Amino acid sequence: MNISLISALSRPRVALSGLRLQSKFTNSHFRAFIQQKAEEDLRQNKACPVHAVDQTVHTDEEKAIREVVDSVLWQMAADRKSTALKQLQGHMWRAAYVTGKIKGEVYPDVVPAVRRWRRGGLKVFIYSSGSVEAQKLLFGYSVEGDLLDLFDGHFDTNIGAKVESKSYENIAERIGCQPEEIMFLTDVTREAKAAEDAGVNVIMVVRPGNTELTEEERSHYRVVTSFNQLELIGNV
């Protein structure tokens, strides 16, 4: 049974996606690449060429590089939402995307659904803990080609944390609409609650591998398993 994207809304204007659209795009794909790339960048940008001939300084430099890389890998493993970390990842990923070593992957229902929404007049934005640069790389270098024209804009944690209701108020203000005119798609209940507290409409999207929702959460939120279950009624 299809769930109306605009049920209980007279004239919705915006779909805001805060969930992982990719089916196989995870930090594990980039751990080895980022480790290698981070070490290369740190060595290429060392402060002074004397390091290359001073063995003591060189040893200290190698130790510092190792500590920095270990810290980055630890933060990735812990799924830290640090804006600085996400910006660093975006920088590292750019090299991987541009050289064709990796490509962004999205669930098969995402692209046709978003195209339908846009034909109906809906504006679609991405809100991610990943940097805007990383988002644009994922969709710009996807297995389906350049998908950036599907979206009207991108937001990251520079607008605020995804678990803080103020972030969604900031987004509504930036877009130029009221919170109640936004439909937020997410797979994280803490984000759903924050958006709901800001007056934003929420739909939980359940994908394989996601954290299971409780019965209370399932009864509270509208839940779908595919973007194909979301249909516009008429044009925006």
Side-chain angles (χ1 to χ4, degrees):
M1 181 176 67
N2 283 350
I3 296 178
S4 169
L5 183 61
I6 60 172
S7 60
L9 296 176
S10 58
R11 288 186 64 81
R13 297 173 56 191
V14 176
L16 178 68
S17 179
L19 52 80
R20 291 180 289 272
L21 299 180
Q22 60 278 15
S23 54
K24 299 178 181 178
F25 190 87
T26 63
N27 279 342
S28 61
H29 284 75
F30 301 101
R31 187 179 178 88
F33 180 84
I34 285 182
Q35 179 174 355
Q36 176 186 355
K37 182 63 177 171
E39 291 175 352
E40 289 177 356
D41 281 5
L42 287 168
R43 290 192 177 93
Q44 289 172 2
N45 292 284
K46 54 193 175 186
C48 177
V50 72
H51 290 183
V53 296
D54 186 326
Q55 187 60 45
T56 301
V57 176
H58 181 73
T59 300
D60 290 343
E61 180 184 274
E62 288 297 318
K63 181 181 178 182
I65 289 173
R66 184 70 263 159
E67 288 175 349
V68 170
V69 173
D70 285 346
S71 175
V72 170
L73 296 179
W74 175 82
Q75 292 184 63
M76 287 176 59
D79 197 24
R80 297 288 294 273
K81 304 301 183 183
S82 162
T83 298
L85 174 65
K86 296 302 181 180
Q87 290 174 338
L88 174 63
Q89 287 176 313
H91 168 69
M92 299 297 179
W93 292 345
R94 173 170 291 280
Y97 279 111
V98 171
T99 58
K101 292 183 178 179
I102 56 173
K103 289 185 178 294
E105 296 190 30
V106 298
Y107 289 106
D109 56 286
V110 170
V111 174
V114 173
R115 292 198 190 282
R116 286 199 308 273
W117 303 344
R118 289 181 61 85
R119 285 197 298 270
L122 200 67
K123 292 186 177 181
V124 183
F125 294 82
I126 297 293
Y127 180 27
S128 174
S129 57
S131 68
V132 168
E133 180 184 18
Q135 296 173 41
K136 290 183 176 181
L137 288 170
L138 190 157
F139 292 107
Y141 294 88
S142 85
V143 293
E144 299 190 45
D146 187 347
L147 302 177
L148 290 175
D149 63 341
L150 292 180
F151 307 107
D152 293 277
H154 301 259
F155 298 99
D156 57 21
T157 53
N158 283 307
I159 200 78
K162 294 177 71 180
V163 295
E164 296 176 358
S165 59
K166 181 62 177 177
S167 305
Y168 300 89
E169 297 172 5
N170 292 340
I171 288 174
E173 182 178 0
R174 184 75 61 84
I175 292 173
C177 67
Q178 298 300 312
E180 58 268 22
E181 294 179 291
I182 298 175
M183 181 63 72
F184 179 54
L185 310 177
T186 183
D187 54 8
V188 179
T189 54
R190 289 181 64 202
E191 297 174 3
K193 184 180 186 306
E196 192 175 50
D197 288 346
V200 169
N201 300 276
V202 176
I203 288 180
M204 293 294 300
V205 182
V206 177
R207 298 287 194 181
N210 286 4
T211 302
E212 287 290 329
L213 299 180
T214 65
E215 286 302 318
E216 181 180 0
E217 289 166 345
R218 284 185 173 275
S219 63
H220 180 76
Y221 295 109
R222 283 173 283 181
V223 179
V224 299
T225 57
S226 167
F227 278 22
N228 289 330
Q229 294 173 274
L230 301 172
E231 293 292 342
L232 287 170
I233 298 176
N235 291 334
V236 175

